[in-house]
Amino acid sequence: MSSATAGTAAGPHPAAIALAFATICLVWGSTFLAIRFAVETLPPWTMIGVRSLLAGAALAGFARLRGAALPDAAGWRAAAATGALLFLFGHGLLAWGAQRVPSGQAAVLLATIPLWVPFTTWALGERRPGVATLVGLAIGFAGVVVLVAPDPAAGSTADSAAASALDTAAVAALLVSALAWALGTAVSRRLPTASSSAMSAGAQLLAGGTLALLAGAVGGEWSAPPAGGVSMASLLGLAYLVVFGSLAAFGAFTWLLQVWAPTRVATYAYVNPVVALVLGWAVLAEPLGVREAGATALVLAGVAVVMLAPSPGAARRPARK
C-alpha cells in the first residue's frame, strides 16, 4: 500500500487502521515466543540479519512490482539510520536478551517503548515531557524493578531467591532495545522516506539486516556452526518472524506511522506483553505468577499515564544555529 493511495482527503479508512493496529498488537506479541525458539540454535545477530534481509527483499521487490522507485542516496542513508536503530540495536539486542530471559518477561521489558517515546521526540526538538509523563515513567519503571527483583516466592534462602532474578545484562540489553526502537520510531518520521510505505519498510529492513549480519560477523557468530546444527524449531521460528513479524507486522507498522501519531502507534505495547506472557506460559511453561502480573500491571499503568497525559504548553526547542 503506497503512501499516495493509503489516504484520501478524508484520511485512511478506519477499518484499515484497525486491521494494521491489530496485526502489530497480536503478531508482535507472538514474535517473542518465535524469537525464543529461533535463538535456541541460531546466533542472535545473524538470525536478525537473515530475517531482515529476507523480509526486506520481499517488501522492496513487491513495491518495485507496484511501480515504486528505489530510494535515492538520501533515502538509503535515512534507511540505514532507522534500520540501525530498529534492527541492529532494537531487534538485535532483543534477540540476544531473549537467550537469557523468558519470552513473556522480555515482552514486559519491551513494553517500556511508549515510555521512551516522549523523551526521544523531545530530544529531537518537540515539546518537553510534562509532570504527568514523568509520573507515568516512574510508575512504568517501578514495574521493571518488580520484574527484575528476586522472586520472594522462589524460596526462603538467599541463593534460591537470587537465582529467580533476571539476568542483569540481559535486562539492560532489553531496555536499550526498547529505547532504540522508540528512537527509531521518532527518527523515521523526520528523515526522507521512499516512494511507498512498502519500499520504505523494505529499505530499512535491508539496511538494518546488513548491519546486523556485519555485527554478527564481527562478534564471531560466523566462526563456528551451532553445536548440533540448527534445529527445526529454530528454522520455523525464523520463518514465522520473516513472514509475520517482518512482512506483515512491520509493513503495517511503517504504514501506521505515516497516518497516525507515533505515541498512538506505540500503544501496541499494551497488548504485546499480555499475548507473550500467555503464550510463554502455555507453550514453554514460563513463569506467570503474581510478580509477572504485578510488574505487567505497573508497566502498562505507566504507559497509560504517558499516553493520556495532556500535551504540555512548552515551546519547541530553538533550532541550532
Side-chain angles (χ1 to χ4, degrees), residues 194-216:
S195 53
S196 74
S197 61
M199 181 60 76
S200 179
Q204 291 175 54
L205 283 159
L206 287 170
T210 300
L211 292 171
L213 279 180
L214 290 174

Side-chain angles (χ1 to χ4, degrees), residues 83-99:
L85 288 168
L86 296 174
F87 304 112
L88 173 63
F89 295 108
H91 279 180
L93 288 170
L94 169 58
W96 184 84
Q99 296 175 309

Side-chain angles (χ1 to χ4, degrees), residues 136-239:
L137 182 70
I139 295 171
F141 279 98
V144 172
V145 171
V146 170
L147 185 69
V148 303
D151 188 354
S156 58
T157 66
D159 288 343
S160 60
S164 71
L166 299 185
D167 184 290
T168 302
V171 168
L174 291 167
L175 290 175
V176 174
S177 169
L179 174 59
W181 191 270
L183 184 58
T185 299
V187 166
S188 68
R189 293 175 60 88
R190 291 160 175 79
L191 295 177
T193 58
S195 53
S196 74
S197 61
M199 181 60 76
S200 179
Q204 291 175 54
L205 283 159
L206 287 170
T210 300
L211 292 171
L213 279 180
L214 290 174
V218 171
E221 290 184 353
W222 297 8
S223 60
V230 178
S231 70
M232 180 57 67
S234 289
L235 291 176
L236 290 175
L238 176 59

